[in-house]
Amino acid sequence: MSINISIKRDDIETSLKDQHKVQYIPATIRGDGPAKVKQYFDSYTEQLEDKTFVNALRGYPLRGKQFDLPDGYSGVILQETQKPLSSDDDRKFTFGGAFKQFTYWNYDKTPSRNDPLVKALDWIKVSEVLHEPLDADCIKEGNVKKE
């Protein structure tokens, strides 16, 4: 099985101008039709003084927080238009949109640094520091071991 992703850089840059509103909600919704998110979800979202959000989904309380992706990074939305018939079939994803920020929701607790998704965003920063090239002055000063 192979996974094919079709994205063009121009599509991402154009889509970022639209500022898509992305919500990461801890729920599985078995459906792929249109949803009136603005009418039935956004209109009930309240922002608290600590810049977090509260809402509910199917009677379950939600607490959310808005996150920005690190500079130089963009998130993309991929859509699979046709499900494969078996696990051995190739899969094809097409570009559905791009975003720079998203709202992350938890059930009845405010998102924190202990959530796996937030840790993944922190790891981007850590990996950049680990892979940053060393300058000659740092090596001369003996701050780095040569192997």
Side-chain angles (χ1 to χ4, degrees):
M1 170 185 71
S2 66
I3 296 176
N4 302 303
I5 300 173
S6 177
I7 300 177
K8 296 178 185 169
R9 181 179 295 270
D10 291 341
D11 292 341
I12 293 173
E13 291 172 2
T14 302
S15 181
L16 286 173
K17 292 176 187 172
D18 294 340
Q19 296 184 354
H20 294 283
K21 189 169 186 178
V22 176
Q23 314 251 6
Y24 183 86
I25 298 175
T28 301
I29 300 172
R30 304 229 186 266
D32 59 359
K36 297 179 181 177
V37 176
K38 284 184 182 180
Q39 182 179 356
Y40 293 111
F41 189 77
D42 289 349
S43 62
Y44 294 98
T45 301
E46 295 179 35
Q47 186 170 4
L48 303 177
E49 290 180 15
D50 63 354
K51 297 190 179 184
T52 61
F53 302 100
V54 292
N55 203 329
L57 181 67
R58 297 182 181 162
Y60 292 98
L62 295 173
R63 295 290 304 257
K65 187 174 179 184
Q66 186 134 15
F67 289 93
D68 295 320
L69 294 177
D71 290 336
Y73 289 87
S74 300
V76 293
I77 302 163
L78 300 174
Q79 297 172 325
E80 186 172 30
T81 54
Q82 185 175 358
K83 299 279 184 190
L85 297 174
S86 74
S87 61
D88 295 331
D89 289 345
D90 292 347
R91 298 178 73 179
K92 183 177 180 183
F93 293 88
T94 57
F95 177 76
F99 58 94
K100 286 282 193 185
Q101 62 181 204
F102 62 96
T103 304
Y104 175 68
W105 295 91
N106 269 338
Y107 286 122
D108 72 2
K109 67 177 185 165
T110 303
S112 70
R113 297 184 78 81
N114 294 326
D115 292 337
L117 184 65
V118 179
K119 286 180 181 180
L121 290 175
D122 285 342
W123 181 249
I124 292 172
K125 296 171 194 168
V126 171
S127 66
E128 285 178 348
V129 170
L130 288 174
H131 295 287
E132 187 174 284
L134 297 173
D135 60 2
D137 293 335
C138 185
I139 295 172
K140 285 179 185 175
E141 292 174 10
N143 294 335
V144 178
K145 290 183 180 180
K146 292 183 182 180
E147 295 189 47

